[in-house]
Amino acid sequence: MAGPAPRALAAAAAGLCQLLALAPYEVWWLGPVGAALLTLAVMGARARRAAWLGLLAGAALMVPLIRWQDVFGVDVWLIIAAAEAVYFAPMAVGLAWVARLPGWPVWTAALWVLQEAVRARFPLGGFPWGKLAFAQPDTPFSGYAALGSSPLATFAVALVGALLLAAVLRLARRPRAPLAATAGLAAGALALTAAGSAVPALTAPAVDHTATVAVVQGNVPGVGRMSVLGERAQVLRNHVEAVHRLADRVEAGEEPRPDLVVLPENASDLDAYADPAAAEMIGDAARDIDAPLLFGITRYRSGGSEREVRSVVWDPRKGPVDHYTKRYLVPFGEYIPYRDVFTRYVDRLDHVTSDAVPGTEPGALTLGGTTVATAICFDVAFDRPVRESVAEGGQIIAVPTNNANYNFTGQSEQQLAITRLRAVEHGRPAVVAATSGISAVVTAGGEVTYRSPEARPAVHVAELQAMSGLTPATRLGALPEAALCALALGALAAAGVAARRAKRNPAGGTSAG
């Protein structure tokens, strides 16, 4: 592609295609198109130009994708978006390099996995939002998540895009050549897409039993996490009263009695371990429904300067018997990294008066005879928490969340899409319990069978199949991601060797596929 303007247009279009592939737009087939357009934009470009094109593509994706971050300030939104866009610059340079190698569609797809792997880990624990895989919760590509988690789904999306690009380029450069090779590339892309549809059926775990699960969305009196004691108490009342209303419907024969009840993250920001009144309210609700509750409770420690974000198993007779502590925390929202430094320059960070501390153990919690793989809110964006909870015996996935800051911004739809992919990945149905929406029930195939309204109370009871056995993705863990990252690094090394040889022998030339 000659000229800076067409390259810039293709790069911007690449980012916008990825944006529109993701929730809430969900034009999933634009995922491969976006990956192809970015490769097209940087083919034959020098490193500096490729980096700027990658940055442009990343900005076109990230700035609108995480618009909901502006609840913390426009500066926070734009700084985070800029930081995420930066990851696309070195990837674009790598795409330009490996596009000169034979078999470049494979190497370009592996580079997408490498970029997402780094972005999901660094800095401050990572921010994997906007993965190619997350646009594929219930599509032909979602099946690859059941084989190798989100990295393999990303690889498949990018590879299909690259194969289609290779077919178009071959046809454009050699229009009179035999069509067999071009048709083979296109057929390979179509076969790869179609094959993903068959994977979930081939890897599906067995049904162990059927569990009756209730999801409670109590709603909040305002927007966001509650900082005023009266509002915290009201949030707790909203959720326990919703459980009491469900108990009344059960007694009236309008609903089946649930085996377990899932409530949101921060359903009680009052520490029910230390607050007898809060504990009594939760205990009364559990006794009324006569079922264990999975209740979101904030547990304070160290004199209130630190806290744990927990989902607590509250037994009707024994009270709190087990819990899971959130493992992936939102920087600057749930804790302030390098607090002494940042609060010196940003006054509003002082409003986060205590720092959440992460848990370390998987969230396999047993309630009413069913083991629930629990991942709280931000956890679900990372491969590890759900995978380890399922591997520890989780039969149904539960995602308690507090998205009250983000109602009607698209963030809740994005998180739901990730949960849907996790359901397919591990062959488990999933429930999402949100303070003010979106709460949902998802089948093991990624289909949404119930979705609550936003900013309104809601209760739903569903019969879910509790599963036993593990998908290949659960068994293999991080190995597919590691293998694909190694493949990308090997391709970059090979591209470097080829470039040095080309410099020593300029007459030899290189090929762009």
Side-chain angles (χ1 to χ4, degrees):
M1 178 177 287
R7 288 183 184 276
L9 184 61
L16 291 175
C17 282
Q18 293 168 57
L19 173 71
L20 294 174
L22 291 156
Y25 312 103
E26 297 184 337
V27 189
W28 64 268
W29 52 268
L30 286 176
V33 175
L37 282 172
L38 183 55
T39 301
L40 178 62
V42 301
M43 269 186 165
R46 293 180 181 272
R48 181 178 297 179
R49 176 169 290 181
W52 280 109
L53 292 168
L55 191 63
L56 175 60
L61 166 65
M62 287 296 172
V63 171
L65 179 68
I66 61 171
R67 176 71 170 79
W68 40 268
Q69 288 277 6
D70 71 350
V71 298
F72 300 114
V74 173
D75 54 345
V76 172
W77 160 42
L78 294 178
I79 288 170
I80 293 175
E84 291 300 297
V86 165
Y87 289 89
F88 288 76
M91 181 183 71
V93 175
L95 292 175
W97 288 350
V98 302
R100 302 183 176 100
L101 299 175
W104 62 265
V106 176
W107 323 135
T108 60
L111 278 172
W112 278 94
V113 177
L114 179 61
Q115 174 262 131
E116 292 182 353
V118 175
R119 191 159 60 85
R121 291 169 172 84
F122 178 83
L124 303 176
F127 186 73
W129 226 259
K131 282 186 174 184
L132 288 180
F134 292 164
Q136 311 296 330
D138 184 17
T139 76
F141 292 108
S142 59
Y144 289 103
L147 287 178
S149 298
S150 64
L152 188 60
T154 284
F155 179 79
V157 171
L159 181 56
V160 166
L163 288 172
L164 292 174
L165 175 61
V168 170
L169 291 176
R170 187 177 184 89
L171 189 62
R173 291 168 178 168
R174 303 174 63 186
R176 297 183 181 180
L179 294 178
T182 301
L185 290 168
L190 294 175
L192 188 63
T193 303
S197 300
V199 173
L202 297 175
T203 61
V207 177
D208 185 85
H209 65 275
T210 299
T212 304
V213 181
V215 182
V216 171
Q217 175 176 305
N219 206 18
V220 299
V223 176
R225 287 181 170 82
M226 301 301 111
S227 58
V228 179
L229 183 59
E231 291 182 333
R232 290 178 176 179
Q234 183 61 54
V235 173
L236 174 56
R237 283 194 295 271
N238 287 355
H239 285 88
V240 297
E241 287 171 3
V243 176
H244 287 303
R245 288 194 296 272
L246 174 60
D248 292 341
R249 289 162 56 187
V250 170
E251 290 300 320
E254 299 172 3
E255 296 281 6
R257 185 173 301 279
D259 299 310
L260 62 137
V261 182
V262 182
L263 294 103
E265 175 191 26
N266 303 116
S268 177
D269 262 349
L270 299 176
D271 186 351
Y273 291 89
D275 187 326
E280 185 63 24
M281 291 173 68
I282 297 171
D284 282 346
R287 289 187 289 272
D288 194 13
I289 195 66
D290 194 25
L293 311 179
L294 186 63
F295 210 99
I297 295 174
T298 301
R299 174 63 164 141
Y300 289 90
R301 63 188 196 187
S302 300
S305 63
E306 292 182 343
R307 68 187 190 278
E308 294 179 25
V309 181
R310 291 185 176 185
S311 281
V312 179
V313 179
W314 202 286
D315 184 85
R317 283 159 286 279
K318 299 177 183 178
V321 294
D322 200 359
H323 72 273
Y324 165 72
T325 298
K326 187 175 185 177
R327 297 172 71 178
Y328 286 85
L329 301 168
V330 181
F332 304 103
E334 292 177 313
Y335 75 102
I336 307 300
Y338 311 109
R339 176 178 283 272
D340 291 342
V341 175
F342 283 109
T343 54
R344 189 180 308 165
Y345 301 104
V346 185
D347 291 341
R348 66 178 178 274
L349 294 179
D350 288 327
H351 294 298
V352 183
T353 56
S354 63
D355 288 324
V357 292
T360 58
E361 299 298 322
L365 304 174
T366 301
L367 299 89
T370 299
T371 303
V372 177
T374 308
I376 300 175
C377 199
F378 196 40
D379 280 339
V380 79
F382 298 84
D383 293 338
R384 186 177 178 185
V386 178
R387 179 175 66 225
E388 291 186 352
S389 297
V390 170
E392 287 290 318
Q395 299 170 299
I396 291 171
I397 297 169
V399 184
T401 184
N402 176 9
N403 291 336
N405 278 319
Y406 309 120
N407 282 145
F408 310 110
T409 65
Q411 189 270 359
S412 295
E413 285 94 341
Q414 293 165 12
Q415 185 176 309
L416 177 57
I418 298 171
T419 302
R420 294 169 63 193
L421 187 74
R422 298 301 180 203
V424 178
E425 179 180 341
H426 301 291
R428 264 68 175 163
V431 295
V432 179
T435 50
S436 57
I438 300 170
S439 299
V441 176
V442 179
T443 69
E447 179 186 359
V448 178
T449 59
Y450 166 76
R451 170 179 166 147
S452 74
E454 293 187 67
R456 289 169 51 191
V459 176
H460 183 73
V461 181
E463 299 288 330
L464 300 181
Q465 293 179 330
M467 312 300 285
S468 62
L470 304 178
T471 64
T474 314
R475 294 180 186 277
L476 292 172
L479 288 178
E481 181 182 51
L484 291 169
C485 288
L487 192 67
L489 292 171
L492 290 172
V497 171
R500 285 195 296 271
R501 288 177 178 172
K503 286 182 179 180
R504 289 197 299 266
N505 182 23
T510 57
S511 171

